[in-house]
Structure formats: structure tokens, C-alpha cells
Amino acid sequence: MAHALSDDQVSKELKKMVAFIRQEALEKAREISIKADEEFAIEKSKLVRTETLAIDAQYERKFKQAELSQQIARSNVTNKTRLKVLAARQQLLDDIFDQARGKLAEISKDEAGYEEILKNLVLECVYALDERRISVRVREKDVEVSKRAVEKAKGEYKGELEVEIEEWNWLPAESHGGIYMISGSGKISINNTLEERLKLLESEALPAVRASVFGQNPNRKFYD
């Protein structure tokens, strides 16, 4: 038969139970604290890593932007310099042809030489038109030298050739000379004035003039 516990025994048992419960609570609190510390360390590490990656990405982005801005600025400076060089070169070429244009007026002052030039211009147009009957426009002051040039051209041309100088339709007096030829049908014409010849020379001789003045372009692989 079990004996009833005395008050002292009950008190001891209660103390044991309280001590056990306290110990369990302390261990549980320690476990919770350790787990919380671990979770905090993990979250802190994640946060630090995330922020580090964000900072690195931001730095990389800013670095690329700065590098791109530098490339753009360098390209702009290069292009501006290149455009200035090209503009200066073009101005020099324009000056060369302007000087040539200014000397056109001197050509007709040498009457014998000018007569030869007119003859050759007439023959060039005649062969190009391939017609036996044509008309020619000249400056009014060139009418006599033009008539002589036409006769010489007719003498050199192989075949019959009828040339009429339009003495009612002159080239502008301020022009530098040359001829303007019209076919017999009036449907085809050739502008062989000195001004027009210089324009053709500008386009055809420009590459050679450019190479003569500035040298060959090492980056150019093909030539006309």
C-alpha cells in the first residue's frame, strides 16, 4: 500500500519539476536564440551579397556608360577633325578650279590658238552627232574666228559637211567662248563652251588633281 507524501516531500518534488521545466525552457530558449542567430546571419549574408551584386552591377553600368560616352566624344572629335580637313581640301580644290575658271578669258585673246581650239571643238561635236548638216552658236565677237575655224574643220572632216553659224542667236557676251552645236533636226545639241568643258574637266580630272595635291589615299582600293 502506497504511503502518502509528506509536505516536505511534495515541496521537493515540486522544486524538481520546476527546475526541470526551467531547464527545458532555458534549453529551448537557447535553441531558439541559436536558430535566430543563424537565420539572421543567413539573411544578413544574403542581404550583403544582394547589395554587393547591386553595387557591382551599378558600377559596371556606370563604367560602361562612361566608356561609351568617352568613345562617342572621341568619335565626335575625330569626325569634326575629319570634316574640317575635308572642307579645307575641298576649298583648296575649289580655289584651283576657280583660278582655272578665271583664266578662261585669256584663251580667246590668243586668236590663232583660239581658232585651233574652236576647230577642234567643232570636229568633236560633228563626230559625236554624226550628221552632215548642223548649226553652231558662238559669241558675237567670235563670229569671224569661228568662220575660219569652221572652214578648217570642214577641210579636215572626211565627207560632206554643212555648217551654219546662227548669227541671230549668239552665246552670252559674258561667256568665255567655245561653241554650242545643234543637229540639223534640232533635236540634239551639244554644249561645248569653254565653261562647260571646264565643268567636265572638274569631274573627270578631280581624282587626279586630288592625288597630285594631297597624294594617293592609302585606304582607297579601287580607282576609276
Side-chain angles (χ1 to χ4, degrees), residues 74-200:
R74 189 184 300 115
S75 177
N76 288 338
V77 171
T78 301
N79 288 335
K80 287 181 180 179
T81 302
R82 181 173 176 271
L83 289 175
K84 286 181 179 179
V85 171
L86 290 175
R89 286 187 172 186
Q90 186 59 48
Q91 184 60 51
L92 179 57
L93 292 172
D94 290 343
D95 291 343
I96 290 173
F97 285 110
D98 282 342
Q99 290 175 14
R101 197 171 292 109
K103 293 180 179 180
L104 288 179
E106 304 295 322
I107 294 177
S108 60
K109 293 181 179 180
D110 177 6
E111 189 167 324
Y114 185 47
E115 182 179 320
E116 184 69 14
I117 290 173
L118 290 176
K119 179 204 72 175
N120 290 331
L121 293 177
V122 169
L123 285 172
E124 185 178 54
C125 291
V126 169
Y127 286 124
L129 292 175
D130 194 23
E131 293 193 13
R132 301 294 177 266
R133 184 173 179 275
I134 50 92
S135 58
V136 175
R137 294 174 190 167
V138 298
R139 295 185 302 181
E140 185 174 7
K141 65 179 180 179
D142 290 340
V143 62
E144 295 303 325
V145 69
S146 297
K147 287 179 179 179
R148 294 195 300 271
V150 165
E151 290 304 315
K152 284 186 177 181
K154 290 168 69 175
E156 293 186 17
Y157 183 72
K158 296 179 180 180
E160 295 294 326
L161 182 61
E162 182 181 343
V163 181
E164 180 182 20
I165 295 179
E166 295 185 353
E167 297 190 26
W168 64 92
N169 194 6
W170 307 110
L171 290 179
E174 65 274 12
S175 69
H176 296 303
I179 67 168
Y180 188 95
M181 185 172 288
I182 306 99
S183 64
S185 63
K187 295 180 179 179
I188 305 175
S189 61
I190 299 177
N191 187 344
N192 223 1
T193 58
L194 297 185
E195 288 89 347
E196 189 65 22
R197 294 307 297 263
L198 182 58
K199 288 181 183 178
L200 292 174

Side-chain angles (χ1 to χ4, degrees), residues 202-218:
E202 285 184 36
S203 60
E204 293 175 0
L206 185 58
V209 173
R210 184 185 289 115
S212 176
V213 176
F214 305 115
Q216 295 289 356
N217 184 349

